[in-house]
Amino acid sequence: MNQSNSIISNYRNLINYLPSKGWTAIVMMIAVLIATPILFVVSSIFIDAGSIWKHLAETVLTTYIINSLLLMFGVGIGVLIIGIATAWLVTICRFWGCDWFEWLLLLPLSAPAYLLAYTYTNMLDYYGPVQSTLRTWFGWQNYNDYWFPDIRSVWGAIVMLILVLYPYVYLLARTAFLEQSICTLEASRSLGCSPWQSFFKVALPLARPGIMAGLALALMETLNDFGTVKYFGVNTFTTGIYDTWFGLGEREAAAQLAAFLMLFIFTLIILELWSRRQARYYQNSSPQSHVPRYHLTSWRAILAWLICFIPFFGGFLAPSLYLVDLVIANAETALENNFFDLANHSLMVSVVTAIAALILSLIMAYGKRLKDNFLINASVRIAALGYAIPGSVIAVGILIPVGRLDNAIANIVEQVLNIKIGLLISGTILALIYAYLVRFLPVAFGAVESSLGKIKPSLDDAARSLGSTPRKILIKIHTPLMTGGMLTAIMLVFVDVMKELPATLVIRPFNFDTLAIRVYQYASDERLSDAAAPALAIVLVGMIPVIFLSWQIAQSRRS
């Protein structure tokens, strides 16, 4: 009997072991699939691009580097100041409207930077409402009577990017402030620190990891931006990649520019990790959800209200109201020009990508839970690189190898079957969704992994003791408990795909436009009234996960 029980036990262990090995192999396959475009771009450094690369290095490469550094520096300073200041005010201070600003300050995330660029250019143009109103008020006759800043410049691009990217720092800084121990802050006050001293000497250093993570995300999005810098005439690596590919027809040189841009990204990541190499951040007690707030009155309350209102007004309210006004003014034609076809295209690729990202994220997160070893961890880290890589770089990394694969398959079929076939993958929706997955899979994985990590391992052990396989445990036990995290993953990926412009612009199939593409095309032709309806649709869709995220934070604070 003991021998029989031993055999049965060994058999069950083998059954449980094999699926675990299977999960490891699948996670590694996903990592290879996601990393292939990135590795191809890196390998392009060793390809001889001929005289075109020498021409780029002698003419525009220095401009690309300087403008990219200026954007990173300006946006970095701006998002840090606005994000930290607003996060501290709504978390620690009490003033009129502070509870509303907790979620209103997140709304600029729903609008991509290129929408603000198009909207503000139209608003601040010579014949726009702002300058027209100023001329009426002050009696100015023409442009020579006054000076008005030119928004189509590097500094204009910096302002647009700051207005939509500061929520990254705000969100993570506010979360860090909420998680800080009240005992730590009270200890600093008891030692004679003023509120400002407590902020600079205690709260700010403790929140540094979250703040730096938010800053890194904002700078990565800055380097990824294409629509804003292209519209403002600011030459950066993203515009250079597009111009080199489509303007000069040099794919290898475009790939090398993409590799050069990746050096910026990796340098950014390494510097952030290096800056924290010896830093450790601990709390002596659990965080307190009901942190006593400073009640602001008189001019301090007004100043705090203005500090919170101005970024919300500039990043969301003003451009949204202007788009609504344009849509109403052109109500008869707002939904024409294939609006519903564009919406259907955007909806289709967004839904398919979101579902695929969720499935792949579940596989990766659960595989890491089953076998938390070096191979799994390395595979997960590789798969998570995509979000740090700009869409234009991913597009280059996909189109060149996929094009070569298509040509190889076509040659083989023609030689063997004497049949000519077209491109199977290049220029198809499949290639476009692949690019989206490479770019946004880490977004879904972060939400899924966080949700899965809250499930106690004892549930897995209990289910296995009853004979359940890992696949059944995931489907019947974990999935119902992860509904919130899975919904968050789907919404975040859905909205990111709706807003994505660089990858869509390069990879989309012929005659397959999305809302983002049509907004870009109309704005490039100075037809913002026609672009208003698709632009407003993107903003409205983007508000859904932002409001949901704000609600989740509010619920966690009350619990």
Side-chain angles (χ1 to χ4, degrees):
M1 180 64 71
N2 291 336
Q3 185 177 3
S4 176
N5 290 336
S6 177
I7 293 175
I8 293 174
S9 177
N10 291 334
Y11 176 76
R12 287 180 175 175
N13 290 335
L14 179 63
I15 292 298
N16 287 329
Y17 177 75
L18 288 176
S20 298
K21 296 293 287 184
W23 284 101
T24 303
I26 293 174
V27 172
M28 293 178 63
M29 289 173 59
I30 295 173
V32 170
L33 183 68
I34 299 300
T36 297
I38 302 172
L39 295 175
F40 181 85
V41 171
V42 173
S43 66
S44 67
I45 297 176
F46 306 102
I47 299 175
D48 184 12
S51 59
I52 186 62
W53 176 253
K54 182 179 179 181
H55 170 72
L56 292 174
E58 293 176 349
T59 55
V60 294
L61 185 59
T62 303
T63 303
Y64 294 159
I65 295 174
I66 293 175
N67 286 340
S68 297
L69 290 175
L70 282 175
L71 285 174
M72 291 175 63
F73 178 78
V75 173
I77 297 296
V79 297
L80 282 177
I81 294 174
I82 296 176
I84 295 174
T86 53
W88 179 255
L89 287 173
V90 300
T91 304
I92 302 298
C93 300
R94 292 289 300 178
F95 55 94
W96 185 85
C98 63
D99 292 335
W100 286 89
F101 282 125
E102 288 182 0
W103 63 274
L104 289 176
L105 285 165
L106 286 173
L107 288 180
L109 278 177
S110 63
Y114 58 83
L115 287 188
L116 263 70
Y118 307 151
T119 305
Y120 273 106
T121 299
N122 205 56
M123 292 170 60
L124 302 177
D125 190 61
Y126 180 79
Y127 294 103
V130 175
Q131 292 199 48
S132 297
T133 303
L134 289 176
R135 287 195 299 270
T136 301
W137 284 356
F138 297 100
W140 295 326
Q141 298 299 319
N142 53 55
Y143 195 77
N144 296 325
D145 294 338
Y146 65 99
W147 175 86
F148 198 84
D150 183 13
I151 191 174
R152 294 195 180 192
S153 61
V154 175
W155 304 110
I158 288 174
V159 173
M160 297 299 104
L161 291 167
I162 288 173
L163 289 174
V164 298
L165 296 179
Y166 80 83
Y168 285 112
V169 176
Y170 163 77
L171 177 62
L172 295 177
R174 180 170 172 248
T175 302
F177 291 146
L178 287 172
E179 292 175 348
Q180 289 179 4
S181 171
I182 184 60
C183 296
T184 307
L185 297 177
E186 288 182 343
S188 67
R189 297 299 302 275
S190 66
L191 294 174
C193 290
S194 66
W196 281 106
Q197 290 175 326
S198 295
F199 169 72
F200 283 108
K201 294 183 178 181
V202 179
L204 191 59
L206 288 175
R208 184 178 176 278
I211 292 172
M212 295 306 296
L215 175 63
L217 287 173
L219 294 182
M220 289 175 190
E221 289 295 328
T222 299
L223 292 175
N224 176 62
D225 180 78
F226 173 80
T228 305
V229 293
K230 182 70 173 178
Y231 189 64
F232 282 179
V234 180
N235 291 322
T236 62
F237 281 102
T238 52
T239 61
I241 292 168
Y242 185 83
D243 293 339
T244 303
W245 184 296
F246 291 98
L248 302 177
E250 295 289 342
R251 296 190 172 190
E252 286 75 16
Q256 291 187 344
L257 279 177
F260 210 101
L261 177 55
M262 287 180 60
L263 293 179
F264 275 75
I265 300 293
F266 290 140
T267 301
L268 195 65
I269 296 173
I270 292 172
L271 284 176
E272 201 282 322
L273 294 175
W274 177 81
S275 68
R276 292 194 288 152
R277 67 193 187 281
Q278 292 180 338
R280 297 294 183 270
Y281 301 88
Y282 297 110
Q283 305 270 2
N284 290 328
S285 61
S286 60
Q288 175 60 256
S289 58
H290 302 289
V291 178
R293 294 184 173 187
Y294 302 107
H295 288 266
L296 303 181
T297 57
S298 65
W299 66 269
R300 290 184 178 86
I302 296 174
L303 180 61
W305 189 88
L306 288 174
I307 291 174
C308 294
F309 178 75
I310 290 174
F312 160 68
F313 177 81
F316 179 81
L317 187 60
S320 298
L321 292 177
Y322 188 67
L323 289 175
V324 170
D325 181 66
L326 287 177
V327 171
I328 295 175
N330 300 274
E332 296 181 356
T333 60
L335 300 183
E336 295 181 356
N337 299 320
N338 299 322
F339 174 82
F340 291 103
D341 289 338
L342 299 173
N344 182 54
H345 292 167
S346 296
L347 182 66
M348 179 182 64
V349 294
S350 298
V351 169
V352 172
T353 304
I355 294 175
L358 175 63
I359 294 173
L360 295 178
S361 299
L362 282 171
I363 294 173
M364 292 170 55
Y366 193 58
K368 187 173 182 293
R369 185 182 180 95
L370 287 175
K371 301 288 288 184
D372 191 9
N373 53 34
F374 173 77
L375 288 177
I376 288 286
N377 291 327
S379 299
V380 168
R381 286 185 175 273
I382 291 173
L385 286 175
Y387 194 70
I389 309 301
S392 55
V393 175
I394 293 173
V396 171
I398 288 177
L399 282 183
I400 296 180
V402 167
R404 293 176 180 176
L405 177 63
D406 277 341
N407 291 329
I409 294 174
N411 291 333
I412 293 174
V413 172
E414 184 176 0
Q415 292 176 3
V416 176
L417 302 177
N418 197 25
I419 300 175
K420 292 185 177 181
I421 61 173
L423 300 177
L424 299 177
I425 305 175
S426 301
T428 65
I429 296 178
L430 181 62
L432 183 60
I433 292 175
Y434 178 32
Y436 290 149
L437 287 174
V438 174
R439 175 104 169 89
F440 300 121
L441 181 62
V443 177
F445 176 76
V448 170
E449 184 185 32
S450 175
S451 182
L452 184 62
K454 297 176 182 179
I455 300 176
K456 294 182 179 180
S458 58
L459 289 177
D460 300 52
D461 298 336
R464 288 184 181 181
S465 67
L466 297 174
S468 295
T469 63
R471 180 176 61 85
K472 290 183 178 180
I473 295 173
L474 175 61
I475 295 175
K476 295 185 177 181
I477 297 177
H478 290 160
T479 302
L481 297 174
M482 297 167 56
T483 304
M486 293 166 59
L487 181 61
T488 301
I490 288 178
M491 286 194 302
L492 291 176
V493 175
F494 179 88
V495 173
D496 280 337
V497 173
M498 287 282 291
K499 297 189 297 183
E500 175 63 23
L501 178 62
T504 311
L505 191 64
V506 176
I507 299 183
R508 77 189 193 281
F510 177 74
N511 202 26
F512 185 89
D513 291 336
T514 62
L515 291 173
I517 294 296
R518 186 55 56 89
V519 170
Y520 169 75
Q521 292 172 342
Y522 281 151
S524 299
D525 296 336
E526 304 295 337
R527 298 168 57 190
L528 188 64
S529 58
D530 294 325
L536 190 60
I538 294 175
V539 173
L540 292 176
V541 171
M543 289 175 60
I544 298 174
V546 172
I547 295 175
F548 180 76
L549 184 62
S550 303
W551 177 81
Q552 281 191 322
I553 295 175
Q555 291 296 112
S556 65
R557 181 170 184 172
R558 296 189 185 101
S559 61

